[in-house]
DNA sequence: CTACCATCCTGGTTGC
DNA sequence: TGCAACCAGGATGGTA
């Protein structure tokens, strides 16, 4: 379920509960996820202190006390849940379980196993194959319309596909791409390079807005729960077009019209949702 | 370089 | 209730 806001929510949850903890042991219940786990994964992590947790794109980074970073991606179906008592049994897809000296358990569950974990030294950080080609963070201060405009310039792909391309910019996935384009009034099928200055400006704001609102929705549920899976605060309730084929979008001129309603189309094998009346 | 496609894997939903 | 088809929030690697 994770796009930038969900990953950010998980990161905040981990930070709140696990910083300062020392790893007692790590249990691996299979050889790997998308890739095999690093060699001696458990052995290397045992005894390490968790110094900090941060995010880059949709990657979770757990900073350890020995110049090592534990990199984790949730893929499509991964989740991380913290609990303060030992699990009495494991779920079918609980693949990694970490126990800390302080009495916390972190459980990584991932049915589809598209997620990944790796260990990276700070020396190798900038050259990590999964990180080195990532584009800018949309919520960073320097990310503005000028920046996005430069990224989209001359691009022949659809704006929807461009938003999903993590080499251009990171964090936006299939849901928030549809939502941001809806807010900006831009059709997902438009050529990325064809957007006007004004449209790019609107889109930049829409992306930032929708991501921030989703983080806020996730954060509000975190206060009350120890778990860090981001599910409780999921933005789902506030989706305006994603998964709403055939419905009319809120306050839209398409309401009451015979041909009104949100359309679902397929672009590069993924669903896009949009309102033909509102998005041009 | 760019664009498109298949692919990794399991589970939930839908339709007959 | 059985079973098959289809769909799913990501990202890579190969091909043209």
């Amino acid at each position: 379920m994770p796009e930038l806001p969900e990953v950010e929510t998980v990161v905040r949850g981990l930070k709140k509960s696990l910083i300062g903890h020392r790893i007692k042991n790590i249990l691996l219940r299979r050889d790997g996820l998308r890739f095999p786990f690093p060699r001696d994964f458990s052995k290397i992590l045992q005894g390490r202190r968790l110094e900090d947790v941060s995010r880059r794109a949709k990657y979770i980074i757990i900073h350890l006390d020995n110049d090592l970073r534990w990199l984790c991606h949730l893929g499509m179906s991964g989740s991380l849940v913290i609990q303060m008592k030992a699990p009495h049994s494991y779920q079918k897809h609980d693949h990694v379980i970490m126990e800390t000296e302080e009495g916390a358990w972190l459980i990584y569950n991932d049915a589809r196993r598209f997620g990944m974990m790796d260990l990276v030294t700070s020396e190798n950080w900038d050259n990590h194959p999964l990180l080195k080609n990532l584009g800018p963070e949309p919520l960073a201060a320097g990310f503005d319309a000028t920046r996005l405009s430069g990224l989209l310039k001359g691009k022949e792909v659809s704006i929807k596909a461009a938003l999903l391309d993590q080499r251009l910019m990171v964090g936006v996935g299939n849901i928030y791409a549809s939502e941001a384009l809806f807010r900006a009034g831009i059709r997902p099928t438009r050529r990325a390079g064809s957007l006007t200055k004004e449209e790019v400006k609107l889109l930049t704001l829409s992306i930032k807005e929708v991501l921030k609102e989703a983080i806020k929705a996730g954060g509000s549920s975190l206060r009350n729960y120890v778990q860090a899976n981001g599910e409780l605060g999921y933005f789902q309730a506030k989706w305006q077009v994603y998964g709403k084929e055939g419905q009319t979008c809120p306050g839209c001129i398409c309401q009451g019209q015979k041909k009104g309603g949100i359309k679902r189309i397929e672009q590069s094998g993924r669903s896009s949702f949009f309102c033909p009346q509102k998005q041009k």
Side-chain angles (χ1 to χ4, degrees):
Chain A
M1 43 199 72
E3 299 184 34
L4 184 152
E6 291 71 42
V7 176
E8 179 64 28
T9 300
V10 170
V11 164
R12 292 181 186 185
L14 297 180
K15 235 172 156 163
K16 211 157 124 181
S17 307
L18 294 180
I19 285 187
H21 283 219
R22 198 171 286 280
I23 299 172
K24 189 169 176 184
N25 62 59
I26 304 239
L27 170 64
L28 303 177
R29 300 185 68 235
R30 54 178 308 116
D31 296 337
L33 303 165
R34 183 186 182 83
F35 312 114
F37 293 119
R39 278 208 301 148
D40 299 323
F41 189 67
S42 312
K43 208 169 126 193
I44 292 170
L45 288 177
Q46 192 165 30
R48 300 274 59 83
R49 213 179 85 101
L50 308 177
E51 296 279 344
D52 196 11
V53 186
S54 62
R55 179 187 61 74
R56 170 74 176 112
K58 299 169 193 169
Y59 290 91
I60 297 161
I61 305 152
I62 300 174
H63 303 252
L64 303 162
D65 62 354
N66 62 344
D67 190 45
L68 207 56
R69 296 172 196 188
W70 176 0
L71 189 64
C72 175
H73 197 291
L74 301 174
M76 291 261 235
S77 56
S79 70
L80 280 167
V81 175
I82 302 163
Q83 57 183 58
M84 305 309 287
K85 58 183 181 194
H88 51 72
S89 66
Y90 298 120
Q91 302 292 310
K92 190 168 178 192
H93 302 291
D94 288 347
H95 305 309
V96 181
I97 297 99
M98 174 185 79
E99 179 184 358
T100 70
E101 297 286 357
E102 288 75 9
W105 282 261
L106 178 67
I107 300 169
Y108 179 89
N109 180 290
D110 186 358
R112 292 174 76 180
R113 304 204 301 274
F114 288 172
M116 61 80 63
M117 289 190 186
D118 201 5
L119 295 173
V120 194
T121 60
S122 61
E123 190 191 352
N124 293 326
W125 189 251
D126 292 332
N127 292 318
H128 195 284
L130 297 174
L131 303 174
K132 65 179 178 192
N133 293 322
L134 292 174
E137 292 283 337
L139 294 181
F143 190 86
D144 55 16
T146 311
R147 186 82 197 271
L148 183 56
S149 182
L151 296 168
L152 299 179
K153 196 177 170 193
K155 284 269 172 297
E156 292 291 324
V157 280
S158 68
I159 184 61
K160 164 74 184 320
L163 291 179
L164 293 184
D165 187 345
Q166 305 293 298
R167 293 168 303 187
L168 286 187
M169 54 170 285
V170 302
V172 174
N174 206 38
I175 293 175
Y176 296 113
S178 276
E179 294 295 321
L181 286 168
F182 171 75
R183 289 183 185 217
I186 299 166
R187 275 198 200 203
T189 47
R190 288 276 301 283
R191 263 191 318 114
S194 76
L195 269 58
T196 65
K197 267 254 144 48
E198 195 53 38
E199 286 174 325
V200 175
K201 211 167 162 181
L202 264 171
L203 182 57
T204 309
L205 289 176
S206 300
I207 292 167
K208 285 177 183 265
E209 257 179 36
V210 76
L211 294 179
K212 280 185 193 168
E213 284 177 31
I215 291 172
K216 211 170 159 190
S220 63
S221 76
L222 264 188
R223 240 175 289 134
N224 306 314
Y225 300 90
V226 181
Q227 55 189 351
N229 63 4
E231 219 164 292
L232 290 161
Y234 203 49
F235 194 62
Q236 191 162 356
K238 296 186 183 166
W239 294 346
Q240 296 185 95
V241 286
Y242 186 85
K244 299 199 178 286
E245 184 180 13
Q247 300 181 32
T248 51
C249 57
C252 182
I253 52 170
C254 70
Q255 284 196 14
Q257 292 185 10
K258 260 190 194 159
K259 286 192 163 180
I262 293 158
K263 297 271 174 290
R264 171 183 179 273
I265 57 170
E266 196 170 299
Q267 294 182 282
S268 17
R270 326 267 327 254
S271 291
S272 300
F273 297 86
F274 71 102
C275 170
Q277 265 71 38
K278 189 177 141 104
Q279 293 168 263
K280 300 295 178 192

